[in-house]
Amino acid sequence: MDKVALIIVDMQEDFCPPNGSLAVTGGREIVPTINRLLSSPVFDVKVATKDWHPTDHISFAANHPDPNNRPFESFAKIVNPHNPAESYETRLWPVHCVQDTPGASLVPELDISKVDKVIEKGQDKRVEMYSAFADPFEKPRVAESALRGYLKESGVGKVYVVGLAMEYCVKATAVDALKEGFKAYIIEDATKAVDPGEGWRDAKAEMEGKGIVFVDEQSILT
Ligand code: VGL
Ligand code: ZN
């Protein structure tokens, strides 16, 4: 369990300017950094994830009946389909990363030839899945990706998480990595937040409070 993994979260057209429906400011600018990381011998295992939703996914504001729902602004209650007692409020989004659409494709500048495995997540229309490991429900869990099994089989003990978006899928993936027993790091110049101000600060404080370590490209590649 001494191998080191780089997990590149959701570097997809819909999360990047200029045309992404949920474009994160500066999202495309981190690709050169990620490509340099991909070329480094530091990482034994390199995984890219894709947000991969059906058109009727629960995270899309358009799929909620209230006509006043607005993407980015509205919240909705999501209930565990197996347990009505487990629920939480979640932010609603524009339609994004619909399976097999151009918006769901990885950005072409990403050096995919250096990626060992691409893992899709968010296919179950009933649950939001920010984490590349699993949905947020615990009693019971509803959906799990192939990520945990792949990392365990590969002998990974440490994961470095990069990509989009810092306070949503990157954070959830790093937090779940820690829960699964991996040491977890964020490479902070290889990620961008939907809200680079307060959103970034709160997410960083929360992650550091849990034991996730923030590093930068230079500290890894030198
Ligand atoms: C993400 C919002 C909705 C992300 C995915 O990749 O951070 N954010 N779906
Ligand atoms: Zn999504």
Side-chain angles (χ1 to χ4, degrees), residues 7 9-10 47-52 117-124 127-136 141-153 169 172-173 176-177 180 182:
I7 302 176
V9 175
D10 299 359
V47 180
T49 71
K50 283 165 91 170
D51 210 26
W52 197 246
K117 192 166 176 70
V118 176
I119 286 179
E120 290 157 358
K121 53 132 178 134
Q123 298 99 319
D124 189 325
V127 287
E128 179 55 275
M129 194 161 150
Y130 293 149
S131 164
F133 288 93
D135 70 285
R141 175 177 280 176
V142 179
E144 191 183 4
S145 79
L147 183 58
R148 187 180 68 102
Y150 182 69
L151 295 176
K152 296 281 184 194
E153 274 163 31
C169 291
T173 299
D176 272 1
E180 298 291 356
F182 301 101

Side-chain angles (χ1 to χ4, degrees), residues 153-181:
E153 274 163 31
S154 306
V156 169
K158 266 188 194 184
V159 305
Y160 288 81
V161 188
V162 303
L164 302 171
M166 185 269 197
E167 77 274 55
Y168 290 98
C169 291
V170 169
K171 180 179 94 174
T173 299
V175 167
D176 272 1
L178 211 60
K179 280 190 202 153
E180 298 291 356

